[in-house]
RNA sequence: GCCGAUGUGGUGAAACGGUAAACACAGCGGACUUAAAAUCCGCUGGCGGGCAACCGCCUUGUGGGUUCGAGUCCCACCAUCGGCACCA
């Protein structure tokens, strides 16, 4: 017996066949504006997947989850009369690809090519309707030429007073010096403490460090000062918050981004330093506080250990202790610093400041609970109304003074919420919000401070000490950087024999001595860009992927990214893991390009949906060590691509976390086989032929109703991305047809159109089979080119509906009544019911609620 | 600690404030078969009653509330998962 005849339907024969047909006939090629076969009368729909890293492990079952969802939407929109852009590509630069290359000892280009070939084969075996002619690859010089070009735009831009990006040439016109301009560029060099990961041999962005360890590999990360390229994302912090409002994103993701950006309103307050011993140009400490209303309760100050004023302020008696403490904190890794977060530590500097509001002398301390990177790196401590200051003051015996009166029954010590100001001079009696306003106005009037806004977001550390990334189009000469002319792009990385990290902060590109020398006096920048660079704009490249004159053609960008909404991409599907990485970075780049006039919308992605993680059969996260990983190739081999697609959509709501079940795959596989047998039958030899029950007859009333309900519900459910319920409805419909003795071929052909976005191979195959016998009933070409069927509302209406009778809200009886029956009529039928009367126990009805078509509730 | 999401049968899950559990999985029974697999048909939340078709009560994490009527809305609490975490 051949393995084929054991299959419930011959998917392994027809699935590859249709994939080849689609490819041969360019079934999913999407023309651009200006192309010969472009139909400008149709609306556009841009549906985007988060493109994968082509890792050596190949596709896992999480990939097809999102990809199937977008494929169904894309196919549905195409059938509904849209020009659909549904592309795929490769995020092939970056750590995972390079780590794999290092592990296997081959050049990253070679392993990346092989992995892409494998991913392509796997994706094609699932029948996704991608326009493969638009495939992009971030490591392709034709692509990263434009990544480098965008970097030059960042390098040559600054943010003006209007909060928008402008070319730095404007600053040149204004006569600013080179140093002044360099200090304002969106891409700039900074010597600052950064996240250095010795194991990976590179620095990492804040977003890539989790609990003091690298996101990739989980290696320890330490802080050390290094000269690095930064991108001024902080200049866009407010817009990145505000412009979330116009987007159709899950509220939880918006919140995640808002929290990451971390806006807080407050005031800067300047404290004079008492008893100055040395000459300081600016003898004061500026602090940021969100609670200026508590200024009267500031009983000491704290500077971050790294604060530049510490050296100046420390008295001789305290100097040794201060130095020891600073050394200790500097050596601590981020991980240690978090672990030790519980216990407060600090040292008195010996110096005092003057509280501007009451002229009190208050001691200045240093402590590592104050971070140099946030606000001004200095705080006024109000121990009565801040948990950290309270803890610190208790430990070191510093005074605690109440300045906020909490509501009745609450202790004022450590009370951090709003209340009424007390012991605060001219603020006494005011509520916290009023007191904030008054003190801020007072500070501004006296020139002692001002209202201000602070963000947790830091600038984006943009350089990496790795080989496998885009080289910076920058050269250095006389200690200054300058950019390459656009004509020299793409700047290819050198061909290195040994591309491993050096193990020191010296990037591996330093080994390419010829490449490094740009001219007699200039050398190239040795760092490379991070993985995120290529993924910040790939969706734009898809619009016009082979353009070698521009990063994207204007007409293509305006058509595919346009549409009158803030975001250009109509639907973006991917995992939550990019909530504050890729999705924030891409929005930032897009805004810069928007300000400079290169794109037509302020936001890249209008609607975002996060697919939920698929867990292993044991309910645990899939991992090699647990041995619960499901390989999609195995599923395709055993049950077919359509079954894999359908199962992943049937598991549950797209956005939910859900466990895999092989039994569940078999369930949808059986459903597909039932659809197959509506059209086909098998003889004793195991040979399939057209079913004799399939005839050119009109569907009866019940089957017509089932079909039209399915057309309606599936159309609505696809729009809602509620694929599991759409599939349920197709099962209901199929069960109805299975029960019929004669199968109406025309109705089944229509059903196949509804099925086709979900199970495109089976739909094409059965359509072709029906077409062989009844050419006038089936689609002449591909089902995917057909129009989505229109349901007939009249077919959904029944003569009678079942009405539920309740007494005091409890179900007691039911009856079928004509749909046309009026309220009084239904009410009379209900009251006549023996069971209703029984439960009314002879009492009169106090109230009768009649919901036509639904129920009657009698209240006694 | 703060923020967010989720809690419904043995399992994955459905359910405009209106018959809780659609559709599947698993289980049970039947038809077909020498037999098995496959397929087709039926049953399948819990407790109690009846020979029976059937009948009653209970049930959406817990406790309150709004409503003629609550899985759905409101308040409080509990549990699980995810994110952030000395951000002044």
């Amino acid at each position: 017996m051949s393995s084929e005849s054991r299959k419930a339907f011959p998917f392994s024969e027809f699935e590859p066949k249709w994939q080849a047909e689609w490819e041969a006939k360019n079934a999913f090629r999407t023309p651009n504006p200006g192309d010969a076969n472009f139909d400008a009368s149709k609306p556009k729909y841009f549906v985007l997947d988060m493109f994968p890293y082509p890792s050596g492990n190949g596709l896992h079952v999480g990939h097809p989850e999102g990809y199937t969802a977008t494929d169904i939407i894309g196919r549905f929109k195409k059938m509904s009369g849209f020009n659909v852009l549904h592309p795929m590509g490769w995020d092939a630069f970056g750590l995972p690809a390079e780590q794999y290359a290092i592990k296997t000892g081959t050049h990253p280009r070679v392993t990346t090519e092989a992995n892409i070939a494998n991913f392509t084969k796997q994706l094609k075996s699932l029948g996704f309707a991608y326009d493969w002619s638009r495939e992009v690859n971030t490591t392709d010089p034709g692509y990263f030429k434009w990544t480098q070009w965008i970097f030059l735009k960042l390098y040559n831009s600054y943010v003006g007073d209007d909060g928008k990006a402008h070319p730095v040439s404007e600053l040149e016109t204004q006569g600013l010096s080179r140093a002044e301009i360099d200090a304002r560029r969106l891409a700039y060099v900074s010597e600052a403490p950064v996240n250095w990961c010795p194991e990976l041999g590179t620095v990492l962005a804040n977003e890539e460090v989790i609990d003091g360890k690298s996101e990739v590999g989980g290696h320890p990360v330490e802080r050390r000062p290094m000269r690095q390229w930064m991108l001024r994302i902080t200049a866009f912090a407010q817009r990145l918050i505000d412009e979330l409002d116009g987007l159709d994103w899950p509220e939880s993701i918006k919140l995640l981004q808002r929290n990451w950006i971390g806006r807080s309103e407050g005031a800067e307050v300047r404290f004079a330093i008492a008893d100055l011993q040395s000459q300081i140009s600016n003898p004061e400490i500026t602090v940021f506080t969100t609670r200026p209303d508590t200024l009267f309760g500031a009983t000491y100050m704290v500077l971050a250990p790294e604060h530049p004023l510490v050296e100046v302020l420390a008295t001789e008696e305290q100097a040794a202790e201060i130095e020891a403490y600073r050394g200790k904190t500097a050596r601590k890794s981020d991980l240690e610093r978090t672990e030790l977060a519980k216990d407060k530590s600090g040292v008195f500097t010996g110096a005092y400041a003057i509280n501007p509001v009451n002229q009190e002398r208050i001691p200045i301390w240093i402590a590592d609970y104050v971070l140099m990177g946030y606000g001004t790196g200095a705080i006024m401590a109000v121990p009565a109304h801040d948990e950290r200051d309270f803890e610190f003051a208790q430990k070191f015996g510093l005074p605690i003074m109440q300045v906020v009166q909490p509501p009745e029954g609450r202790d004022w010590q450590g009370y951090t919420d709003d209340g009424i100001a007390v012991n605060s001079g001219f603020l006494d009696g005011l509520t916290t919000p009023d007191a904030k306003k008054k003190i801020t106005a007072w500070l501004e009037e006296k020139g002692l401070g001002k209202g201000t806004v602070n963000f947790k977001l830091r600038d984006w550390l943009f350089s990496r000490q790795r080989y496998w990334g885009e080289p910076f189009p920058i050269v250095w000469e006389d200690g200054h950087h300058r950019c390459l002319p656009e004509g020299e792009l793409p700047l290819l990385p050198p061909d290195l024999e040994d591309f491993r990290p050096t193990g020191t902060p010296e990037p591996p590109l330093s080994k390419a001595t010829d490449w490094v020398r740009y001219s007699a006096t200039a050398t190239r920048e040795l760092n490379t860009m991070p993985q995120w660079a290529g993924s910040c704009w790939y969706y734009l490249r898809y619009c016009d992927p082979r353009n070698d004159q521009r990063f994207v053609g204007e007409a293509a960008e305006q058509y595919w990214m346009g549409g009158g909404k803030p975001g250009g991409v109509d639907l973006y599907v991917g995992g939550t893991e990019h909530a504050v990485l890729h999705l924030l970075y891409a929005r930032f780049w897009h805004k810069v390009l928007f300000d400079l006039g290169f794109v037509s919308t302020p936001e890249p992605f209008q609607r975002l949906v996060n697919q939920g993680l698929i867990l292993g059969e044991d309910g645990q996260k899939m991992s090699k060590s647990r041995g619960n990983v499901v390989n999609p190739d195995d599923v395709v081999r055993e049950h077919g691509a359509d079954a894999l697609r359908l199962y992943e959509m049937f598991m549950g709501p797209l956005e939910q976390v859900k466990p895999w079940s092989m039994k569940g795959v078999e369930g949808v596989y059986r459903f597909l086989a039932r659809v197959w047998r509506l059209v086909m039958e098998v003889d004793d030899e195991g040979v399939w032929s057209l079913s004799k029950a399939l005839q050119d007859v009109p569907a009866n009333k019940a089957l017509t109703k089932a079909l039209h309900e399915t057309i309606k519900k599936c159309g609505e459910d696809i729009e809602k991305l509620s694929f599991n319920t759409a599939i349920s409805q197709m099962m209901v419909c199929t069960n109805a047809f299975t029960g019929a003795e004669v199968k109406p071929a025309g109705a089944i052909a229509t059903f196949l159109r509804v099925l086709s976005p979900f199970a495109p191979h089976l739909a094409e195959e059965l359509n072709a089979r029906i077409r062989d016998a009844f050419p006038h009933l089936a689609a002449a070409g591909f089902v995917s080119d057909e129009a989505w069927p229109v349901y007939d509302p009249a077919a959904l209406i029944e003569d009678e509906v079942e009405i539920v009778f309740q007494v005091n809200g409890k179900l007691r009886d039911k009856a079928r009544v004509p749909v046309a029956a009026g309220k009084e009529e239904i009410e009379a039928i209900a009251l006549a019911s023996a069971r209703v009367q029984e439960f009314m126990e002879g009492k009169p009805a106090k109230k009768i609620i009649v919901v036509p078509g639904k129920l009657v509730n009698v209240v006694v």
Side-chain angles (χ1 to χ4, degrees):
Chain A
M1 191 185 260
S2 81
S3 70
E4 209 44 59
S5 60
R6 257 188 272 122
K7 296 195 163 115
F9 62 106
F11 61 84
S12 53
E13 287 168 14
F14 65 72
E15 287 185 348
K17 183 182 85 181
W18 287 106
Q19 287 156 16
E21 285 272 301
W22 291 325
E23 189 153 346
K25 299 208 169 124
N26 292 326
F28 304 112
R29 190 66 67 82
T30 304
N32 255 7
D35 288 353
N37 47 349
F38 176 75
D39 182 352
S41 69
K42 290 181 173 180
K44 67 95 186 184
Y45 197 84
F46 187 174
V47 54
L48 181 69
D49 294 300
M50 289 187 188
F51 67 163
Y53 315 113
S55 82
N57 297 326
L59 223 55
H60 60 78
V61 290
H63 288 114
E65 188 189 15
Y67 300 164
T68 305
T70 52
D71 197 54
I72 292 168
I73 290 275
R75 286 170 175 271
F76 171 72
K77 288 288 180 183
K78 179 183 159 106
M79 295 176 82
S80 305
F82 287 77
N83 286 325
V84 172
L85 179 57
H86 187 211
M88 181 42 78
W90 315 106
D91 188 15
F93 267 138
L95 282 176
E98 187 170 350
Q99 292 292 90
Y100 181 77
I102 289 172
K103 202 170 70 188
T104 56
T106 41
H107 194 284
R109 195 186 310 112
V110 176
T111 49
T112 298
E113 268 170 29
N115 293 344
I116 288 177
N118 182 40
F119 263 68
T120 305
K121 186 174 120 276
Q122 288 185 300
L123 287 179
K124 287 191 174 173
S125 80
L126 292 172
F128 295 130
Y130 291 125
D131 179 355
W132 283 104
S133 74
R134 291 175 183 261
E135 179 179 350
V136 302
N137 175 346
T138 56
T139 66
D140 179 354
Y143 181 91
F144 69 69
K145 170 184 178 178
W146 299 107
T147 311
Q148 292 169 331
W149 178 85
I150 296 173
F151 176 82
L152 291 184
K153 295 297 147 208
L154 290 156
Y155 179 82
N156 286 316
S157 301
Y158 76 102
V159 167
D161 296 336
D162 58 358
K164 293 188 173 135
H166 297 267
V168 289
S169 54
E170 292 178 8
L171 297 177
E172 285 162 16
T173 325
Q174 291 167 31
L176 266 69
S177 73
R178 176 180 199 163
E180 285 168 324
I181 292 173
D182 283 351
R184 297 189 62 178
R185 294 179 187 276
L186 292 185
Y188 65 98
V189 174
S190 145
E191 180 90 32
V194 295
N195 304 303
W196 166 254
C197 178
E199 194 68 29
L200 294 174
T202 185
V203 296
L204 297 168
N206 291 326
E207 288 82 355
E208 292 170 305
V209 179
I210 295 166
D211 292 334
K213 293 187 199 140
S214 64
E215 193 195 20
V216 176
H219 306 297
V221 172
E222 48 191 59
R223 297 195 61 85
R224 60 156 86 177
M226 285 171 68
R227 196 216 71 194
Q228 296 295 327
W229 283 94
M230 309 288 289
L231 297 187
R232 208 178 297 281
I233 190 172
T234 50
F236 291 79
Q238 190 62 53
R239 279 168 72 192
L240 287 168
I241 289 178
D242 292 343
E243 292 169 26
L244 283 171
D245 289 346
L247 302 181
D248 306 318
W249 288 21
E251 277 308 314
S252 55
I253 297 291
K254 289 188 184 181
L255 203 63
L256 233 43
Q257 288 215 349
R258 286 197 191 99
N259 290 344
W260 186 264
I261 297 167
R263 180 185 203 273
S264 18
E265 265 177 52
E268 275 180 11
V269 185
R270 305 222 299 270
F271 285 68
I273 296 162
D275 320 324
L276 268 183
Q277 306 165 339
S278 57
Q279 285 84 9
I280 320 171
S281 56
N282 190 17
E284 55 185 25
I285 300 172
T286 305
V287 302
F288 172 74
T289 176
T290 56
R291 292 297 299 272
D293 61 298
T294 61
L295 187 49
F296 284 86
T299 53
Y300 65 101
M301 301 189 79
V302 186
L303 304 181
E306 307 91 336
H307 198 288
L309 275 177
V310 174
E311 287 152 45
V312 188
L313 291 176
T315 57
E316 264 173 56
E317 309 87 84
Q318 295 298 100
E321 210 184 326
I322 291 278
E323 214 32 64
Y325 186 77
R326 293 182 94 187
K328 209 170 72 188
T329 11
R331 274 194 311 277
K332 271 188 208 168
S333 71
D334 271 16
L335 188 58
E336 286 169 313
R337 233 166 136 155
T338 341
E339 272 172 0
L340 299 171
K342 297 275 179 297
D343 208 17
K344 292 278 177 293
S345 64
V347 180
F348 178 45
T349 61
Y352 291 83
I354 305 293
N355 187 335
V357 85
N358 56 13
Q359 309 308 311
E360 294 274 338
R361 273 168 62 95
I362 57 175
I364 303 169
W365 287 62
I366 67 169
D368 64 0
Y369 83 91
V370 173
L371 310 171
M372 194 56 224
Y374 182 76
T376 61
I379 62 155
M380 64 178 215
V382 184
H385 307 295
D386 180 280
E387 279 176 39
R388 295 148 303 186
D389 298 345
F390 185 59
E391 206 185 309
F392 192 83
Q394 284 191 309
K395 177 160 176 181
F396 293 102
L398 292 157
I400 300 170
M401 186 170 70
Q402 181 189 11
V403 289
V404 177
Q405 183 63 50
E408 276 294 312
R410 293 283 297 273
D411 187 5
W412 64 267
Q413 297 210 39
Y415 177 81
T416 57
D417 293 337
D418 286 6
I420 306 293
V422 293
N423 303 326
S424 295
F426 59 91
L427 299 178
D428 279 355
L430 294 177
T431 62
T432 299
D434 288 345
K436 280 181 183 171
K437 275 182 217 141
K438 186 155 186 184
I439 186 73
T440 306
W442 184 88
L443 288 167
E444 284 173 0
E445 189 194 311
K446 303 268 176 194
L448 294 167
K450 57 173 192 208
T452 182
V453 170
N454 243 293
F455 297 94
K456 278 195 243 180
L457 185 71
R458 315 290 165 82
D459 276 339
W460 177 10
L461 174 61
F462 193 67
S463 42
R464 299 290 183 275
Q465 293 70 50
R466 300 296 298 216
Y467 172 69
W468 195 230
E470 301 88 345
F472 281 74
I474 293 284
V475 293
W476 290 80
E477 190 163 14
D478 300 331
H480 293 290
H481 47 74
R482 68 163 195 271
C483 63
L484 290 182
E486 286 181 18
E488 288 185 31
L489 303 183
L491 170 60
L492 304 176
D495 239 336
L496 276 187
E497 280 293 306
D498 176 14
F499 45 79
R500 279 153 223 268
T502 60
T504 70
E506 183 76 354
L509 290 188
S510 63
K511 297 178 198 168
T513 43
D514 289 348
W515 181 88
V516 169
R517 189 166 300 114
Y518 178 72
S519 71
T521 49
T523 59
R524 294 190 190 276
E525 167 67 42
L526 298 178
N527 285 298
T528 54
M529 298 186 200
Q531 162 135 52
W532 312 105
S535 60
C536 268
W537 72 284
Y538 73 112
Y539 54 95
L540 292 168
R541 190 64 180 167
Y542 281 140
C543 298
D544 195 11
R546 304 292 168 251
N547 194 328
D548 56 5
Q549 300 302 309
R550 209 169 181 274
F551 75 113
V552 55
E554 284 176 275
E557 191 278 332
Q558 280 161 19
Y559 181 71
W560 292 115
M561 293 296 289
K565 289 185 174 162
V569 174
D570 295 278
L571 176 65
Y572 194 20
V573 176
T576 339
E577 66 271 22
H578 294 120
V580 290
L581 290 158
H582 161 63
L583 286 172
L584 199 59
Y585 298 151
R587 292 182 62 218
F588 162 47
W589 279 36
H590 196 90
K591 286 183 189 307
V592 174
L593 292 172
F594 175 68
D595 290 352
L596 297 176
F598 290 108
V599 297
S600 39
T601 61
E603 284 283 335
F605 316 119
Q606 183 58 35
R607 183 181 180 197
L608 174 75
V609 172
N610 294 117
Q611 87 262 28
L613 199 65
I614 296 180
L615 304 173
E617 201 122 12
D618 54 1
Q620 301 290 317
K621 206 167 172 172
M622 281 193 195
S623 74
K624 274 191 199 153
S625 57
R626 285 203 186 87
N628 60 355
V629 177
V630 178
N631 182 345
D633 288 345
D634 296 341
V635 181
V636 171
R637 196 178 331 103
E638 294 296 319
H639 301 283
D642 285 340
L644 175 65
R645 294 169 58 111
L646 210 63
Y647 172 64
E648 295 216 8
M649 295 301 99
F650 187 60
M651 291 172 84
L654 183 63
E655 304 185 44
Q656 207 160 90
V657 180
K658 45 214 177 270
W660 186 268
S661 157
M662 222 55 221
K663 287 286 185 191
V665 180
E666 282 168 32
V668 294
Y669 174 70
R670 282 203 282 268
F671 159 67
L672 291 172
R674 272 207 303 287
V675 176
W676 172 259
R677 284 194 307 272
L678 291 179
V679 176
M680 305 300 292
E681 63 186 13
V682 70
D683 65 14
D684 297 341
E685 315 285 281
V687 177
W688 290 100
S689 60
L690 204 69
S691 166
K692 283 179 282 296
L694 189 76
Q695 293 172 23
D696 180 6
V697 295
N700 65 28
K701 197 167 171 161
L703 291 185
T704 305
K705 180 166 182 258
L707 176 65
H708 285 258
E709 271 174 348
T710 303
I711 296 168
K712 178 171 191 279
K713 183 157 174 60
C714 288
E716 291 166 356
D717 285 355
I718 291 172
E719 295 276 6
K720 288 189 291 186
L721 269 57
S722 181
F723 303 116
N724 54 333
T725 52
I727 294 167
S728 297
Q729 181 59 38
M730 289 192 285
M731 288 172 168
V732 171
C733 187
T734 302
N735 291 344
F737 278 93
T738 298
E741 279 191 32
V742 175
K743 319 291 188 206
I748 289 173
T750 304
F751 172 75
L752 292 176
R753 280 193 270 160
V754 178
L755 179 69
S756 69
F758 298 85
H761 309 87
L762 180 65
E764 295 289 3
E765 178 68 17
L766 291 180
N767 178 72
R769 301 280 187 151
I770 294 175
R771 186 172 55 211
D772 288 344
F774 310 103
H776 57 294
L777 294 180
F782 291 126
V783 180
S784 58
D785 286 333
E786 290 293 294
W788 183 259
V790 178
Y791 72 89
D792 176 8
L796 305 180
I797 295 168
E798 293 204 74
D799 301 335
E800 289 190 324
V801 277
E802 190 177 66
I803 301 280
V804 169
F805 301 151
Q806 298 180 333
V807 178
N808 291 333
K810 278 189 190 271
L811 173 70
R812 294 307 179 188
D813 204 2
K814 304 171 188 181
R816 294 193 67 82
V817 304
V819 266
K823 273 197 170 191
E824 294 76 16
E825 206 175 329
I826 299 170
E827 187 178 318
I829 298 168
L831 290 173
S833 153
R835 296 219 359 112
V836 169
Q837 286 176 7
E838 181 190 338
F839 281 91
M840 286 174 73
E841 294 168 334
K843 291 177 221 157
K846 271 192 220 153
K847 194 170 181 181
I848 300 175
I849 286 102
V850 181
V851 183
K854 283 275 184 199
L855 59 73
V856 177
N857 188 11
V858 181
V859 185
V860 296

